[in-house]
Amino acid sequence: MYPFRDNVYMRYKLSSDVRDRKSRFREKIQATTGHLCTGLGKIDTRFVEEAILGIAESGSVRLTSISRALAETISLHATHKRLSRNLAHVAVGEVLSKNLLFYGVRQVKDDSLLVLNLIDVEKKYAKKMGFLGGIDADGSRRGYKMGEIIAAKPLQQDFVKIVDGQEIIFPERDFVPLKQELWSSSAPDYSGDNQHILKLVGEIRSEIGARGILVSTRQHDQRELLIPWSRSNVDRFIIRQRSESRLMYRNTQKTVDELIEYCGTPYGSTVFILGGMESEYETDHFIHFGFLPVRLPELPQRTLSLVVVKGLEEPIALLTNEPMRRNRSVLQEVIKRYFIAWSVRATSRFMKNDYQFSDIRVLTYGRLKNMATLLSVMTYMDTWWPGGRATIKGIRFDRRKRTQDTLTAYHQSSSRGKSQRN
């Protein structure tokens, strides 16, 4: 809907000397992901370190590219064969996922955002990959779905312990991956996209209870999701609504479009949209907003709120079970959370595109799921060095402050090629 440019974020700076660079990068991996390997044996731990190093060096999740980046003294085929064998170990995905969640939820505060993101992994030309399934309604596109939940600011400060026991405090992060799941409509355990999403959210909630607010797009404006979340006492949410969705207002069913027209918007504010090819360009827009008390027709006993935003290219309607009142700051906070979640999703997509996840080439379903988990580990590590800033594109209520570091990061990112990857 809005013209956005690619995300900018800075990665760990490495020495130009190859040997020293790889040595330092291994130290970085051990310092930031060593605790994620707790519970894995030595062989699997070494594999995780090698895989992360290879993915970062090559900028690709293809095993051939990872093998080439490792530049071992043995043949490329032998390296590839070992990596492929280790990638099939079930424990790799299970342990890493468990530890990602364990350490991630430590950062979730009461008002942290839980950004729900659903990604299509399309495989246009694949024939032999395990359980290839349809990823759209008519099945014309084939591949896999990946759901993820990312915790975003405000977050708790975090730390890790290095080998000698010294605590290293890392910069506060804007976001951190909590959990992801990859599935296929052709897999035996497939029970529908929404059931996988409910399972994903349920696993998070079992760890954090009512802490954190789930934020998502109109892609998840579906009764199969909204009814259990509205009925629950722990599932707090902000979900954008489709224009044709129907809600109860004053004992009458109306479409969201009708409610948008009816809703008074007495509060106003200026927002700044960052987009275009140059990050320094931004445009300001005056928005006005308000809310209506509404209910789901299926749950008339549960009071919800529909926060309506006007003044952008199209109106935005956000359904939430957070308590609302006629107060500018309360309503603006809901809108701000939606805008922040928007930018975090964009950052996550950028990271996956940067590592060419859609170009993955493994034959078995288990290897594919494990590689998706390794990519989450990469995101976990990238958000730590030097601070894991969310994308600077998006919509803000305050004008962005330009810094020399941001300008430097932008120019470095713009000129970076595959051969320059850290």
Side-chain angles (χ1 to χ4, degrees):
M1 182 168 62
Y2 302 105
F4 287 157
R5 70 172 193 83
D6 284 343
N7 165 59
V8 172
Y9 67 98
M10 295 180 65
R11 291 200 183 150
Y12 186 73
K13 294 183 180 299
L14 303 177
S15 167
S16 58
D17 179 76
V18 175
R19 286 187 179 181
D20 182 57
R21 177 167 58 85
K22 286 192 175 182
S23 175
R24 290 176 59 194
F25 195 71
R26 284 184 184 274
E27 292 178 4
K28 171 194 172 183
I29 293 171
Q30 292 169 356
T32 56
T33 66
H35 55 297
L36 298 181
C37 294
T38 302
L40 288 177
K42 290 183 179 180
I43 293 176
D44 286 337
T45 298
R46 180 191 171 195
F47 162 71
V48 171
E49 293 177 1
E50 289 179 336
I52 295 300
L53 175 62
I55 292 171
E57 288 284 295
S58 66
S60 172
V61 294
R62 292 177 61 177
L63 289 179
T64 303
S65 300
I66 295 171
S67 302
R68 189 174 293 110
L70 293 177
E72 297 181 327
T73 56
I74 60 177
S75 69
L76 183 66
H77 175 72
T79 302
H80 184 286
K81 187 175 181 180
R82 185 187 78 249
L83 293 177
S84 180
R85 182 175 64 251
N86 292 337
L87 185 61
H89 293 179
V90 176
V92 170
E94 290 181 347
V95 172
L96 289 178
S97 294
K98 179 181 177 181
N99 289 335
L100 275 168
L101 180 59
F102 176 78
Y103 287 102
V105 297
R106 292 169 61 189
Q107 293 191 275
V108 177
K109 301 169 70 173
D110 186 57
D111 289 332
S112 297
L113 304 186
L114 305 177
V115 182
L116 176 60
N117 195 24
L118 190 62
I119 300 167
D120 293 339
V121 184
E122 185 177 5
K123 303 300 296 181
K124 288 184 179 180
Y125 308 109
K127 302 292 184 183
K128 299 180 180 180
M129 292 181 70
F131 300 117
L132 273 172
I135 56 175
D136 51 12
D138 59 7
S140 59
R141 296 165 59 235
R142 297 183 64 77
Y144 306 89
K145 294 273 190 179
M146 187 165 74
E148 64 177 358
I149 295 182
I150 306 166
K153 274 189 172 183
L155 298 173
Q156 298 279 6
Q157 186 81 346
D158 204 358
F159 66 89
V160 296
K161 290 185 178 181
I162 58 175
V163 178
D164 61 8
Q166 179 186 0
E167 289 184 357
I168 297 183
I169 303 298
F170 288 88
E172 184 180 357
R173 292 189 276 187
D174 278 357
F175 60 97
V176 59
L178 296 182
K179 192 168 183 61
Q180 60 79 30
E181 183 182 358
L182 184 140
W183 64 83
S184 167
S185 60
S186 297
D189 62 348
Y190 180 72
S191 55
D193 290 352
N194 288 338
Q195 291 305 311
H196 282 280
I197 292 170
L198 288 172
K199 176 175 175 286
L200 191 63
V201 175
E203 290 175 348
I204 300 290
R205 287 297 180 194
S206 66
E207 296 289 332
I208 62 175
R211 283 187 291 135
I213 304 168
L214 187 73
V215 187
S216 187
T217 64
R218 48 192 163 190
Q219 183 180 20
H220 299 115
D221 172 20
Q222 301 183 45
R223 289 299 194 263
E224 196 172 355
L225 300 175
L226 292 178
I227 291 175
W229 289 341
S230 298
R231 185 183 288 124
S232 167
N233 292 322
V234 296
D235 285 304
R236 302 160 62 196
F237 62 81
I238 300 170
I239 308 292
R240 184 173 179 181
Q241 298 293 283
R242 293 186 172 97
S243 60
E244 68 274 12
S245 294
R246 302 188 71 84
L247 297 170
M248 295 287 296
Y249 176 67
R250 293 184 175 176
N251 298 320
T252 303
Q253 282 198 37
K254 294 184 178 294
T255 66
V256 169
D257 259 355
E258 291 173 328
L259 292 173
I260 288 174
E261 289 297 320
Y262 184 79
C263 182
T265 53
Y267 308 103
S269 183
T270 300
V271 296
F272 302 91
I273 300 180
L274 309 178
M277 294 303 295
E278 298 293 335
S279 62
E280 57 263 35
Y281 295 146
E282 64 183 13
T283 57
D284 58 288
H285 296 254
F286 184 78
I287 63 170
H288 42 107
F289 47 90
F291 88 102
L292 294 173
V294 297
R295 304 169 191 264
L296 293 176
E298 298 84 354
L299 287 176
Q301 72 278 15
R302 291 281 187 174
T303 301
L304 306 173
S305 296
L306 188 72
V307 178
V308 175
V309 184
K310 301 177 182 178
L312 298 173
E313 291 184 5
E314 64 176 298
I316 294 175
L318 305 172
L319 186 69
T320 181
N321 58 356
E322 290 290 281
M324 293 291 104
R325 62 181 187 272
R326 299 188 184 282
N327 180 284
R328 171 211 281 269
S329 61
V330 171
L331 297 177
Q332 184 169 295
E333 189 62 30
V334 171
I335 301 167
K336 181 179 179 180
R337 287 166 178 164
Y338 178 75
F339 290 157
I340 292 173
W342 192 349
S343 69
V344 171
R345 281 192 298 272
T347 302
S348 180
R349 287 195 300 269
F350 172 83
M351 287 180 168
K352 288 172 177 58
N353 290 336
D354 200 35
Y355 293 118
Q356 304 177 50
F357 184 62
S358 61
D359 195 35
I360 186 172
R361 299 184 186 183
V362 293
L363 294 181
T364 68
Y365 192 46
R367 287 186 175 94
L368 180 65
K369 295 177 75 125
N370 278 355
M371 186 59 79
T373 303
L374 286 170
L375 194 59
S376 289
V377 174
M378 283 297 313
T379 303
Y380 182 86
M381 188 169 67
D382 271 337
T383 62
W384 244 335
W385 299 85
R389 313 311 299 171
T391 177
I392 60 173
K393 68 187 181 182
I395 302 177
R396 298 168 56 95
F397 279 96
D398 54 334
R399 188 175 295 278
R400 181 170 50 93
K401 295 179 180 179
R402 299 290 296 169
T403 66
Q404 187 59 40
D405 287 343
T406 303
L407 285 168
T408 302
Y410 169 70
H411 292 303
Q412 287 176 344
S413 177
S414 299
S415 61
R416 184 183 63 187
K418 289 184 178 180
S419 62
Q420 297 173 317
R421 291 182 183 273
N422 287 332

